[in-house]
């Protein structure tokens, strides 16, 4: 069964600090992995998308890594800002049928 | 990225009535649209996939007669929650994907509250 597990479920960090979110998956055959940011009451917004051959991708202060061998990904937030408070969702796409498997998300709260 | 617009952003309806939610792709033709439901503090759950001009494919456990999906054009899909009940209160999100594309873009979501 295709699964995506994210950790931690939630975390609180101080403004200006860095943090790293984890994503482990068992989706096969793998097509791509995406990280989304979802503000409360809004739809998800894409941050990064990585295919099998890519092991790192940045979008401003967000840097995602992918280890396709261990089926792990991480999202690193640098110099966090209050506006980074949101849920971050890891989504893996299977090559067959292009079906998406969603992780449970990590809720990040940035405090001043 | 491409723009997907949902309407309304929020709606309150009485129990037993029906509610229609629209999902539009504003700057591309969406051959496939997806409808999700999201309960508080949970991730998105796929309800159904619709391809333009054909019947929607529903996920297991989703009642097709209760959640009517229409995808009559390449830029518009609608989800109608029929005979809504309080337990249908949720956040409904659509996403749209163009032909041959791998990425789907999400709408801003619709908060449905059934009282």
């Amino acid at each position: 069964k295709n699964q995506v597990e994210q950790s931690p479920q939630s975390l609180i960090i101080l403004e200006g600090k860095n943090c790293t979110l984890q994503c482990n998956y068992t989706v096969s055959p793998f097509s791509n992995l995406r990280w989304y940011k979802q503000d409360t009451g809004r739809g998800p917004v894409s941050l990064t998308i990585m295919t099998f051959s890519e092991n790192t991708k940045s979008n401003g202060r967000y840097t995602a890594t992918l280890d396709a061998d261990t089926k792990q990904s991480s999202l690193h937030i640098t110099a966090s800002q209050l506006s980074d408070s949101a849920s971050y969702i890891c989504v893996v796409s299977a090559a067959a049928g292009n079906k998406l498997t969603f992780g449970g998300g990590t809720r990040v709260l940035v405090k001043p | 990225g491409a723009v997907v617009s949902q309407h309304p952003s929020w709606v309150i309806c009485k129990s037993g009535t029906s509610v229609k939610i629209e999902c539009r792709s504003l700057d591309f033709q969406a051959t496939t649209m997806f409808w999700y439901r999201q309960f508080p503090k949970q991730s998105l759950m796929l309800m159904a996939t619709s391809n333009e001009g054909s019947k929607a494919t529903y996920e297991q456990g989703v009642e097709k007669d209760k959640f009517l999906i229409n995808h009559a054009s390449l830029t518009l899909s609608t989800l109608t929650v029929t005979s809504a009940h309080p337990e249908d209160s949720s956040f409904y999100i659509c996403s749209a994907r163009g032909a041959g594309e791998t990425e789907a873009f999400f709408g801003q979501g619709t908060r449905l509250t059934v009282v």
Side-chain angles (χ1 to χ4, degrees), chain B residues 37-79:
Chain B
R37 181 166 51 184
Q38 185 178 32
F39 292 106
K41 297 186 178 181
Q42 295 187 24
S43 194
L44 283 72
M45 291 177 54
L46 180 65
M47 298 174 66
T49 301
S50 73
N51 292 298
E52 185 265 338
S54 60
K55 289 184 178 180
T57 302
Y58 289 80
E59 295 298 303
Q60 192 173 13
V62 178
E63 299 174 58
K64 62 179 181 180
D65 293 330
K66 180 168 183 63
F67 299 100
L68 300 179
I69 291 173
N70 183 282
H71 190 172
S73 81
L74 286 171
T75 58
L76 174 64
S77 176
T78 60
L79 167 68

Side-chain angles (χ1 to χ4, degrees), chain A residues 32 34 36 38 41-44 46 49 89 98-100 102-105 107, chain B residues 36 38 41-44 46 59 91 93 97 101-104 106-109:
Chain A
N32 59 69
R34 314 148 195 242
Y36 287 91
Q38 185 179 22
R42 307 288 294 177
S46 180
I49 177 170
I89 305 173
N98 208 12
K99 193 157 188 175
L100 303 182
F102 287 77
R107 289 185 298 282
Chain B
Y36 298 86
Q38 185 178 32
K41 297 186 178 181
Q42 295 187 24
S43 194
L44 283 72
L46 180 65
E59 295 298 303
F91 194 56
I93 306 173
R97 187 177 71 202
E101 299 292 332
T102 57
E103 181 153 16
F106 288 88
Q108 69 268 44

